[in-house]
Amino acid sequence: YFFSNGVTTFFPTTISGTHEDILFTLKKLGENDRVVGINLEGPYISKKNKGAHNEDVIRPGALSELKEYISASNGKLKLTTVAPETQDSLDFIKEASKLLTVSLGHTIADYDMSVKGFEAGAKNVTHIFNTMNPIHHRNPSLQCAAFERDDVFCEVICDGIHLHPSIIRMLYKILGPERMVLISDSMAATGLKDGKYMLGGTVETIVTNGVARTSAGNIAGSTANIMMGVRNAVNFGIKLEDAIKMASITPSRVVSIDNEYGSITVGKKADFIVMDSDLNIINTYKNGVKVF
């Protein structure tokens, strides 16, 4: 499915779960040669801005647990989300950022706390504007702390549902293609029909017209792939070459795999796609081999 949609590399992503469930999942993914990296989105997040996550398994960050997760994944765990206002999180971010990329998200952090999170070592924002406090002109929040730094990336779900096109254009003007990262936030229903699906094996979601929501009405991820996001970005007014950059080399830099992935350069993996002028996929190559 991903190859047919021009996606050569993606990071399987866990939702908040028990220690045992996450450990089991990371071991399985770590054994898969086709998995380049893994994203741990939760459980080190805020219960008040949990989104579709299961509140019962959300917990403070623990370095010993994170190290166990990295080991279980064969070192493929490259990214985790942390709410900087939670218990001992700043110390956790400081140490965790030495091991992998720390992203701030699923948080109620205000501006000051977000600044502290970035100063502690976080360098990314998880699906910006979603599951965080909105911007208020007298009470700035995480977004403002991220915008004013040159060393922070911001993930953008460009499915036309999570963010209004005007917000996409605003982010593009503020961040540029060097810091704006297109992500899919794809969940289990991606590429499939409307119906009921499980998120993380614990949260039931209902997909209607391609939009996934929990029974409480919270958006539960996306059913779009990243190529859809690229096409949307172009339709929203972003230059094609920048949209491609935001879906290739920029995300590779976030998780420090840009030495092998993200651009067509001598010495890197020969992963690339061929498209027509309407951005339809003609061919997909993985490691120099035509896979679609």
Side-chain angles (χ1 to χ4, degrees), residues 45-46 49 82-85 104-109 114 131-133 142:
I45 59 175
S46 164
N49 245 335
V82 178
E85 77 279 7
L104 302 187
H106 282 280
T107 174
I108 59 169
S114 299
T131 62
M132 59 191 65
N133 293 346
L142 170 57

Side-chain angles (χ1 to χ4, degrees), residues 6-292:
V7 181
T8 58
T9 304
F10 74 101
F11 276 29
T13 299
T14 65
I15 195 170
S16 297
T18 65
H19 176 75
E20 293 75 19
D21 284 347
I22 292 176
L23 200 63
F24 174 84
T25 302
L26 293 177
K27 285 180 178 179
K28 286 292 184 180
L29 292 173
E31 294 168 357
N32 191 326
D33 292 337
R34 294 174 69 178
V35 172
V36 173
I38 306 166
N39 175 17
L40 186 74
E41 189 185 321
Y44 312 133
I45 59 175
S46 164
K47 291 184 178 181
K48 294 182 178 179
N49 245 335
K50 59 184 174 56
H53 290 241
N54 180 0
E55 182 177 330
D56 294 338
V57 292
I58 292 173
R59 52 192 180 272
L63 194 63
S64 58
E65 181 178 66
L66 183 65
K67 287 180 177 179
E68 188 176 358
Y69 288 162
I70 293 172
S71 177
S73 73
N74 286 327
K76 293 182 180 181
L77 184 57
K78 302 290 186 182
L79 178 68
T80 191
T81 298
V82 178
E85 77 279 7
T86 53
Q87 179 183 338
D88 300 325
S89 63
L90 294 180
D91 289 337
F92 175 72
I93 291 171
K94 183 178 180 180
E95 296 304 317
S97 62
K98 298 174 184 177
L99 306 173
L100 77 181
T101 299
V102 175
S103 183
L104 302 187
H106 282 280
T107 174
I108 59 169
D110 60 11
Y111 169 84
D112 292 334
M113 179 56 69
S114 299
V115 168
K116 291 178 181 178
F118 291 130
E119 289 177 344
K123 69 171 189 177
N124 189 53
V125 176
T126 301
H127 44 56
I128 194 164
F129 280 107
N130 289 278
T131 62
M132 59 191 65
N133 293 346
I135 295 175
H136 187 279
H137 56 286
R138 287 189 296 273
N139 186 24
S141 50
L142 170 57
Q143 297 92 323
C144 299
F147 291 160
E148 64 185 18
R149 298 182 69 97
D150 295 330
D151 59 347
V152 171
F153 299 92
C154 295
E155 297 175 357
V156 175
I157 306 174
C158 198
D159 61 356
I161 298 166
H162 283 76
L163 297 170
H164 190 278
S166 66
I167 299 297
I168 302 287
R169 289 188 288 270
M170 180 191 75
L171 289 167
Y172 177 52
K173 286 191 174 184
I174 293 173
L175 301 167
E178 301 297 333
R179 295 203 293 134
M180 181 169 165
V181 181
L182 296 186
I183 65 165
S184 66
D185 207 44
S186 296
M187 49 82 73
T190 301
L192 303 176
K193 297 178 180 179
D194 286 359
K196 292 184 179 180
Y197 295 87
M198 296 302 293
L199 189 65
T202 58
V203 181
E204 184 177 88
T205 63
I206 301 171
V207 179
T208 305
N209 296 323
V211 180
R213 293 185 182 274
T214 65
S215 58
N218 292 332
I219 295 178
S222 168
T223 61
N225 61 65
I226 198 65
M227 193 62 220
M228 294 177 185
V230 170
R231 294 189 187 104
N232 285 339
V234 173
N235 290 333
F236 296 160
I238 292 175
K239 294 178 182 178
L240 173 60
E241 57 267 36
D242 286 344
I244 292 171
K245 181 180 288 187
M246 295 187 294
S248 55
I249 188 63
T250 303
S252 296
R253 288 174 178 148
V254 174
V255 289
S256 302
I257 62 170
D258 52 301
N259 60 322
E260 290 188 276
Y261 299 88
S263 61
I264 303 173
T265 307
V266 173
K268 291 191 179 185
K269 302 288 186 182
D271 295 354
F272 56 92
I273 61 176
V274 181
M275 299 184 292
D276 64 18
S277 58
D278 293 322
L279 306 188
N280 297 309
I281 307 300
I282 298 174
N283 296 127
T284 302
Y285 290 82
K286 179 69 177 175
N287 293 324
V289 178
K290 186 189 293 185
V291 290
F292 173 76

